[in-house]
Amino acid sequence: MAVDYAVIAVYLAGMLAMGWWGMRRARSKSDFLVAGRRLGPFLYSGTMAAIVLGGASTIGGVGLGYRYGLSGAWLVFTIGFGLLALSVFFSARISRLRVYTVSQMLDLRYGGSSGLISGVVMWAYTLMLSVTSTIAYATIFDVILGLDRVPAIVLGGAIVVCYSALGGMWSITLTDMVQFVVKTVGVLLLLLPIAVTEAGGFGGMRETLPDGYFSPLGIGAQTIFTYVLIYSFGMLIGQDVWQRVFTARSDRVARLGGTAAGTYCLVYALAGAAIGTAAKVLHPHLDSPDDAFATIVRDSLPTGVKGLVLAAALSAVMSTSSGALIACATVARNDIWARLRRGASGGGADHDEVRGNRLFILLMGAAVIAISIALNNVVEALTVAYNLLVGGLLVPVLGGLLWKRGTGAGALASVGVGGAAVVALMVTEGVLANEPIYYGLLASLVAYVLVSLVTRPTDPAVLGAWRNRLAGRASEGGGDGDGHGAAGTGDGTGHGTAGAAGAGERSVAARK
């Protein structure tokens, strides 16, 4: 195991070194939170794939393949479909908004009436998403080093918090790109062919396993439908994903790079399911399907290769964890803390912005590690996160992009009613039940439409500024999203007084 340990040690040291190097590039708020909005197609597509393919997609995807066969790919398939839909239909418009958070987008669209409550919902989602990734360190470090659960969580969490706080999105971009390469080599090029070959190839697997393992709908139509609602739609509105869209240097990069990342997700989904199916042939009596990944790595791979594949699993978890952590800190500081400090200026010097956001990453990271130690059920934590996100925010976000008649009051009602319905149904029906997301989403939609229709339409000046921003005419709307208004009065969301044409005063006051 000495060689495998050396591979893991070099990988972890490399992550910290990338964080230190990224710190030298993070000189402004834009650099720290969105990598200066300068990523080209190669970096963008690699890091986007890294953020959406985490421990649930890797360890969980192999586990679903172990339990259901090739149809276990549907969970990661729906993630890929959601990313493709975001990239093809929405990413260009999202990129042109030049904001930092989903709540700032809602402020621009509706006039500042729903930002705080939507920020709280998004913060809860990103916090729980980071927790689920951090809990996964316990499994990986147990296989690698034989560490107990708490030291494993502290070790993995501390490394991620350290490199994320050092350089923000630049550090995370550099580490995610390395993680993407390691994950591709370890899972797709090494583990997949070795596992399938040892299981006798697909022909031998078919002879050994029941036919249901090779049925495309073996996992169940209702399960697939629920995955689409939760994960495909979740990809459309998650702060962790949007914050990556904001890093693209152009509309074209956001659209084409995201499409490439979504396609990669589909390939990764099939690979994970095939590895899990092979594990079922080789180890048919495991206590838990989630043990399939660690078991097949331990028993099927040679020394050195084993270390690289375990590093690939660690890469999957760290990429999602770091992306969720910076998203959580960004929302906490810019959407919640900045709004609660009503006497504070909306802008601030770039140096102060970097220092403040770095502090929030440290605070949120400490909270994530503490919650991860207290919790133990990854599936329930992930389900809570996505139920809150989709049930509370899907309708007002997509409604704002697609329906001109949607109003701020409708958005606020949608977030409140949908979020409350999801929470109530999770309490009464169970966290893992389908009813919370089904009825929560329906309640959110009904509230949005009805309240929007019975309230006054959004101020034409607010809609005008919104349309300018969607069209990429940010300078006319007074700001570039970095806190610089056209008249020197930007508020951090890119709204300056010049572009508001005298009618944005109410929305600026509401945001502050």
Side-chain angles (χ1 to χ4, degrees), residues 62-105:
V62 171
L64 288 172
Y66 184 89
R67 184 174 180 183
Y68 298 106
L70 297 184
S71 67
W74 274 105
L75 184 147
V76 185
F77 268 160
T78 56
I79 291 173
F81 293 150
L83 185 54
L84 285 170
L86 174 73
S87 302
V88 173
F89 299 112
F90 300 109
S91 64
R93 283 184 284 178
I94 292 170
S95 178
R96 286 196 292 265
L97 291 175
R98 300 188 68 80
V99 294
Y100 292 109
T101 69
V102 175
S103 293
Q104 289 176 349
M105 167 264 169

